[in-house]
Amino acid sequence: MDATSRGATVELTEVVKNYGTGAPALDTLSLHARPGEFVALLGPSGCGKTTALRTVAGLEAVTSGSISIDGRDVTDQPTNKRDLGMVFQSYSLFPHLDAQANVEFGLRMRRVPAGERRERALGALEMVGLGGFGSRFAHQLSGGQQQRVALARALVTRPRVLLLDEPLSALDAKVRVQLREEIRRIQTELGITTLFVTHDQEEALAVADRVAVMRAGRIEQIGTPEALYTQPQTPFVAEFIGLSNRLPGTVRGGFVEVYGVELPLLDPTVAPGPVTVALRPEDVEIVSEGALAGVVVSTSFLGSLRRSTVRLPDDTLLAVQHAVGLRTAPGERVALRFTGACVSVKHEENP
Amino acid sequence: MTAPARRRRPNLAVLGLTPFALYVLLFLAVPTVLAVTTGFFDKKGGFTLDNVSALFTPQVLSTFLSSFWVSGVTAVVGAVVGALVCYALLGTRPEGALRQSINSASSVLAQFGGVMLAFAFIATIGVQGIITVTLKNLGVDLYADGVWLYQVPGLLLPYLYFQVPLMVITFLPALEGLKPQWAEANATLGGSRLTFWVRVAGPILAPSFFGSLLLLFANAFSSYATAAALISQGSQIVPLQIRSALISETVLGRSNLAGALALGMIVVMVVVMFGYSLLQSKTARWQR
Amino acid sequence: MSSPRLGATPSRTARTIILSLVGLLFAVPILAMIEFTFRDGLSGSYTLTHWTNLANPAVNAKYAPLATALANSGVLVVVTVLLVLVVLLPTMILVELRFPRLRRVLEFICIVPITVPAIVLVVGLVPVYSVVVKVAGSSIWSLGFAYGITVLPYAYRAIQANLGTVDVVTLSEAARSLGAGWATVLLRVILPNLRRGILAAAFISIAVVLGEFTIASLLNRVNLQTALVLISKSDPYVAVIFSLLALAFAFVLLLLIGRLSTVGSRRRKA
């Protein structure tokens, strides 16, 4: 399959979606995806990420606001005229058609001649690694294979926009990682603008050019995976992006003091006073000697690294990430050192 | 667990299956075998093909044709009307009161065939029925060509009264099984609503539709009580002919004809139900 | 602005037209039956006497056969439901727990009565019952054995629908691992979880037995339906009244089955 289809811009402008019950599903959401960009919509369930994707697809009408693709307003255009490719969370292959016919479906809609249709479908199946599976039916394919066919079906028409609605969430962990890398490879090859909905932060950070963290129908923060990881702008984002330790601290004079250690603040304008500090496990080190000590509660081997949980004297539990070679045992006393900056601070809320 | 204990356990458990096995043997297997084999014997117990060959006399063949006709017409009309009702029900909330009560009403009415159904239609379109009388006052005579309610055509309306509900309860699950993603995938791939019906929903539903149609056919074909209550004399359809053969055994001396007729019915039923199960297994695979 | 209609969902107009048209057509015979019970002979005027007669002892003597028939049907209901509970249910549980490979066989057996119509079965039941009468006498309850076969497909489906949602193997293994004996497993773990299916099976059996005509009529036994046919020849009004009552009763039973399933699912969610 050739990469003639260039991606289009996708723009959501102040989109509101109100179901008429409770809070709006989308609350004046604006999002701009550049041509060929891979944007992940990340958030907990009910944050509106799937609704946002479905308004782009035209599967949900918006209450107000507008959506444009390639600079053209498509807000009132029906789904079948929007020239999209979409892969769904649950398996959506047509059960009465084999894989080949499923992939050919969109080409048939576009009245592509039979010979070309066949050729392009074969090529698309080849591209997703399923050449030779064309005559299989959905019930003869594994979940991962079904999603591959669904991907081929979505891409074979060379749409300008690819929409992925948690396509990996029903799959095994191993297949999930494998397939997400393949999706990213194909997407880069084709240069197709892609919106990817997921609730898995690791997945979002791994594949996306930019990640939009959503909460309650709005985008809380949007940026590159690196920017989100190192500079989360709100505690919600910090918590959602990575396993963070939450420790008590005090802000004073441009620093925050945690267990007697002064750490630099990412945002020096934070007002002085008691705060909760978010600290990543990889920014804590086990050292031979130090002021801060604790007792190892548990330790787990994660392949390339090891993660231990340490109980501090005030009973706070602290996650520490360290080299595999450093073997800790439950009950062992260890000394700790903070190596990096704190990720974020949050003023203690008065209940 | 030691090996001997393991071996003993299933043997004891097998004993638990015997009451059911015995019961089914005595009251299902034996009667069924008797029913289909008595046709091969004469009154004295000797083997004969007379009864079975009687199946191919014009008189019996025409009863089978009448049965096919009534079953076929009510199955096709019942399936189409029932499918329309299912389609309309898709627009209601699945847990809503409307769909629930139509579901319950359908289960009752699908079972309603029989004496009470005959009464209902006598009260409706009998000679003194409310519709007959009302139409007569309007100058329309339902029975200008004779009273057909107590003839074979008279079975059509009463049969539809249980065929349509049966279609609703057997076909609705198939329609409910249409995944919304199929419609959405169709739309994102550029298909219209017409495309969805012609290329997606139609082919997916076809096996269940025709399966249900076969079930309706079998249901009408094997139905006896309604016809017996409406048509008190004669043997216009096969079940009624079995009645005649059973009751008038002393007169005709051909009680074993009933066995031959039963055999004929079973053959038809087995063929129809086999087709039904073939179609069912196809949809079962798809609905997974 | 509502979301676009993409799938099989009908438009509001189509839905309303279809449902009200079919609903109307199906209401007519029921309404006609009700109207019929208020008719005063062929006079064209209306009367309440057919209904009030039900409570009139003098007229009631005439209906004595109907009372016998009702009692007979009651006995048959009890015998049939007992057969379902004592013979079918334990077999289904046993097969699920110990003989999963027999599941298809059991299903096949239970579905057979759909393929063997009552009118065919009755041909073979005639000789069987000539033996049964010699052994058990000619009292009505023995007819329940035939009815147990008639209700087999319905009862099986009702219980199986429930059995399919409950993993009895895991449940019983869990209970066994917690120290429960087989009796406890059955009574305190499995049966409570199958309550809905069992009740549904019992109700549908009741409805089927009350409506059965074919077998009783051709074996010359008296039950509600054969008595209704008999009495309709002398007093069609009473026959129709009892038909209406039986229909209403069946509808309530089926509604109860529907409610049982929704109550159960709601409780599960909570």
Side-chain angles (χ1 to χ4, degrees):
Chain A
M1 192 170 166
D2 54 30
T4 48
S5 58
R6 300 310 307 176
T9 56
V10 175
E11 186 142 28
L12 288 87
T13 313
E14 297 184 350
V15 170
V16 175
K17 173 70 187 177
N18 219 322
Y19 285 110
T21 49
L26 294 179
D27 188 0
T28 52
L29 176 97
S30 293
L31 175 72
H32 178 97
R34 291 183 284 268
E37 194 178 24
F38 195 121
V39 177
L41 299 177
L42 174 68
S45 64
C47 71
K49 56 190 191 298
T50 292
T51 310
L53 193 79
R54 290 170 63 85
T55 58
V56 176
L59 297 172
E60 304 271 3
V62 299
T63 310
S64 69
S66 70
I67 295 162
S68 64
I69 296 175
D70 218 4
R72 218 154 46 88
D73 188 331
V74 297
T75 317
D76 294 320
Q77 208 172 36
T79 303
N80 55 350
K81 302 276 185 262
R82 290 196 188 187
D83 190 19
L84 310 154
M86 184 159 177
V87 178
F88 297 85
Q89 174 177 5
S90 55
Y91 309 132
S92 64
L93 292 188
F94 301 129
H96 61 297
L97 301 177
D98 62 18
Q100 169 93 19
N102 261 287
V103 177
E104 282 184 27
F105 192 91
L107 297 173
R108 203 181 274 276
M109 296 301 104
R110 286 161 179 76
R111 306 192 189 288
V112 175
E116 185 190 344
R117 204 162 69 205
R118 213 184 119 68
E119 207 164 297
R120 278 170 68 178
L122 281 172
L125 281 171
E126 203 77 51
M127 177 183 71
V128 295
L130 286 180
F133 283 72
S135 57
R136 299 273 190 100
F137 286 86
H139 65 267
Q140 297 164 324
L141 296 168
S142 70
Q145 289 170 336
Q146 286 188 49
Q147 291 302 66
R148 281 167 194 268
V149 176
L151 185 65
R153 182 176 71 175
L155 288 172
V156 74
T157 58
R158 296 169 195 160
R160 294 169 303 166
V161 180
L162 178 63
L163 304 174
L164 305 170
D165 184 7
E166 305 212 29
L168 308 172
S169 64
L171 306 177
D172 299 340
K174 207 168 155 188
V175 182
R176 203 153 62 206
V177 173
Q178 198 182 359
L179 193 49
R180 83 178 181 212
E181 272 155 21
E182 227 163 308
I183 288 177
R184 177 60 180 180
R185 172 182 65 78
I186 294 167
Q187 187 269 340
T188 316
E189 255 172 52
L190 301 180
I192 181 172
T193 313
T194 300
L195 295 184
F196 178 79
V197 163
T198 180
H199 61 262
D200 182 337
Q201 48 86 16
E202 187 200 323
E203 202 167 279
L205 298 182
V207 296
D209 293 315
R210 280 195 299 157
V211 177
V213 180
M214 288 187 64
R215 181 195 197 184
R218 313 170 138 260
I219 291 179
E220 189 100 347
Q221 184 178 353
I222 183 165
T224 63
E226 293 81 6
L228 278 177
Y229 197 72
T230 54
Q231 296 162 4
Q233 277 156 17
T234 69
F236 176 80
V237 174
E239 192 163 4
F240 209 83
I241 279 304
L243 194 154
S244 277
N245 291 306
R246 346 221 83 229
L247 303 170
T250 315
V251 172
R252 68 166 73 95
F255 286 92
V256 60
E257 191 194 309
V258 186
Y259 294 112
V261 183
E262 284 196 339
L263 295 174
L265 276 171
L266 272 178
D267 176 9
T269 60
V270 179
V275 288
T276 301
V277 175
L279 205 62
R280 280 191 304 260
E282 58 265 42
D283 288 336
V284 188
E285 220 177 36
I286 294 182
V287 289
S288 50
E289 217 161 286
L292 186 60
V295 177
V296 176
V297 178
S298 67
T299 174
S300 45
F301 173 67
L302 299 177
S304 56
L305 46 89
R306 194 181 283 278
R307 183 169 286 182
S308 301
T309 306
V310 177
R311 190 191 301 279
L312 299 178
D314 64 350
D315 270 355
T316 305
L317 292 178
L318 186 70
V320 185
Q321 198 163 297
H322 52 89
V324 178
L326 182 61
R327 306 187 71 128
T328 53
E332 186 185 339
R333 270 190 79 80
V334 290
L336 301 168
R337 193 167 73 92
F338 300 136
T339 58
C342 65
V343 173
S344 79
V345 299
K346 181 190 186 184
H347 277 275
E348 312 250 317
E349 273 155 33
N350 299 323
Chain B
M1 199 185 273
T2 56
R6 188 182 257 176
R7 210 166 290 146
R8 205 173 59 231
R9 264 276 170 63
N11 283 345
L12 280 178
V14 165
L15 282 181
L17 297 178
T18 45
F20 181 77
L22 265 180
Y23 172 56
V24 168
L25 182 75
L26 286 179
F27 287 90
L28 179 59
V30 169
T32 307
V33 171
L34 282 178
V36 298
T37 51
T38 47
F40 291 103
F41 297 95
D42 59 27
K43 283 215 88 170
K44 298 189 185 80
F47 180 83
T48 175
L49 285 175
D50 285 359
N51 298 307
V52 179
S53 63
L55 283 180
F56 300 98
T57 59
Q59 190 210 350
V60 176
L61 279 179
S62 79
T63 356
F64 267 92
L65 275 182
S66 298
S67 267
F68 286 152
W69 183 75
V70 171
S71 311
V73 169
T74 61
V76 170
V77 177
V80 170
V81 176
L84 278 175
V85 172
C86 294
Y87 166 68
L89 281 179
L90 275 192
T92 63
R93 280 181 304 114
E95 298 299 320
L98 187 60
R99 199 188 290 194
Q100 289 290 326
S101 49
I102 289 181
N103 239 331
S104 300
S106 297
S107 323
V108 175
L109 294 182
Q111 282 296 319
F112 186 40
V115 177
M116 304 184 289
L117 181 60
F119 291 164
F121 274 84
I122 292 171
T124 312
I125 51 170
V127 179
Q128 292 301 327
I130 184 164
I131 296 291
T132 318
V133 173
T134 313
L135 284 177
K136 195 171 264 172
N137 290 341
L138 293 172
V140 181
D141 188 0
L142 263 186
Y143 294 123
D145 303 324
V147 182
W148 44 261
L149 179 61
Y150 309 104
Q151 304 293 328
V152 174
L155 295 178
L156 292 180
L157 287 176
Y159 275 25
L160 280 175
Y161 206 77
F162 57 73
Q163 294 281 61
V164 172
L166 182 64
M167 184 67 182
V168 171
I169 53 179
T170 54
F171 189 58
L172 188 58
L175 259 185
E176 285 173 336
L178 280 181
K179 291 193 199 166
Q181 290 85 356
W182 292 334
E184 293 173 0
N186 168 68
T188 58
L189 290 168
S192 61
R193 250 170 90 76
L194 180 68
T195 323
F196 173 71
W197 278 111
V198 175
R199 295 206 176 270
V200 182
I204 291 176
L205 291 176
S208 343
F209 178 83
F210 289 111
S212 303
L213 189 114
L214 285 181
L215 194 70
L216 260 58
F217 183 93
N219 186 43
F221 187 74
S222 59
S223 176
Y224 166 77
T226 314
L230 272 178
I231 308 175
S232 49
Q233 292 290 317
S235 44
Q236 292 83 343
I237 57 172
V238 185
L240 293 184
Q241 199 159 38
I242 292 182
R243 170 179 71 175
S244 309
L246 280 179
I247 293 176
S248 57
E249 53 176 303
T250 46
V251 183
L252 289 173
R254 299 196 70 173
S255 76
N256 297 39
L257 179 62
L261 291 165
L263 177 66
M265 276 192 86
I266 284 273
V267 169
V268 173
M269 289 296 286
V270 166
V271 169
V272 172
M273 293 307 285
F274 181 69
Y276 169 72
S277 66
L278 273 188
L279 290 167
Q280 277 301 97
S281 64
K282 189 161 195 170
T283 48
R285 223 168 42 206
W286 285 355
Q287 301 285 351
R288 244 189 341 183
Chain C
M1 183 176 169
S2 68
S3 286
R5 284 196 302 128
L6 300 167
T9 324
S11 70
R12 180 176 282 271
T13 332
R15 183 183 84 197
T16 317
I17 290 175
I18 294 171
L19 288 186
S20 37
L21 202 65
V22 175
L24 204 70
L25 285 175
F26 271 74
V28 168
I30 306 284
L31 295 177
M33 282 173 99
I34 296 173
E35 190 259 1
F36 185 76
T37 63
F38 292 107
R39 283 196 196 175
D40 188 9
L42 293 177
S43 69
S45 58
Y46 291 102
T47 171
L48 279 175
T49 45
H50 306 305
W51 286 90
T52 50
N53 273 351
L54 290 183
N56 183 342
V59 189
N60 253 343
K62 216 172 72 185
Y63 305 140
L66 201 53
T68 319
L70 266 177
N72 281 353
S73 280
V75 170
L76 289 171
V77 162
V78 172
V79 173
T80 311
V81 171
L82 273 179
L83 276 173
V84 168
L85 296 185
V86 178
V87 179
L88 176 62
L89 177 65
T91 308
M92 289 181 71
I93 296 174
L94 194 62
V95 165
E96 196 74 17
L97 283 179
R98 305 299 298 269
F99 306 103
R101 263 180 297 170
L102 291 181
R103 218 179 287 158
R104 297 301 301 270
V105 179
L106 181 64
E107 181 183 359
F108 176 78
I109 292 172
C110 292
I111 301 301
V112 164
I114 293 183
T115 311
V116 183
I119 183 72
V120 168
L121 197 64
V122 87
V123 174
L125 281 174
V126 171
V128 168
Y129 267 87
S130 67
V131 178
V132 169
V133 168
K134 275 180 206 143
V135 177
S138 59
S139 62
I140 189 71
W141 64 268
S142 61
L143 191 59
F145 286 118
Y147 285 2
I149 295 294
T150 312
V151 304
L152 207 52
Y154 307 101
Y156 171 82
R157 275 196 198 139
I159 298 174
Q160 187 59 40
N162 198 165
L163 212 51
T165 63
V166 179
D167 186 353
V168 285
V169 175
T170 310
L171 276 185
S172 65
E173 281 169 358
R176 299 274 293 160
S177 76
L178 292 168
W182 278 112
T184 318
V185 170
L186 190 67
L187 291 176
R188 307 196 68 147
V189 178
I190 296 180
L191 290 185
N193 275 299
L194 295 180
R195 200 181 48 232
R196 279 189 296 129
I198 294 169
L199 272 176
F203 285 168
I204 189 90
S205 302
I206 295 170
V208 170
V209 171
L210 287 184
E212 210 288 327
F213 171 76
T214 309
I215 296 174
S217 151
L218 291 173
L219 290 181
N220 291 315
R221 305 296 184 99
V222 175
N223 74 357
L224 177 62
Q225 299 294 326
T226 61
L228 281 179
V229 170
L230 211 64
I231 210 151
S232 73
K233 290 179 178 134
S234 59
D235 189 343
Y237 303 103
V238 165
V240 171
I241 285 178
F242 271 87
S243 299
L244 275 174
L245 292 178
L247 193 63
F249 183 66
F251 188 69
V252 170
L253 277 183
L254 268 294
L255 263 188
L256 274 178
I257 295 178
R259 274 202 69 84
L260 273 175
S261 55
T262 49
V263 166
S265 61
R266 211 174 293 145
R267 189 176 302 162
R268 193 156 297 169
K269 263 176 218 146

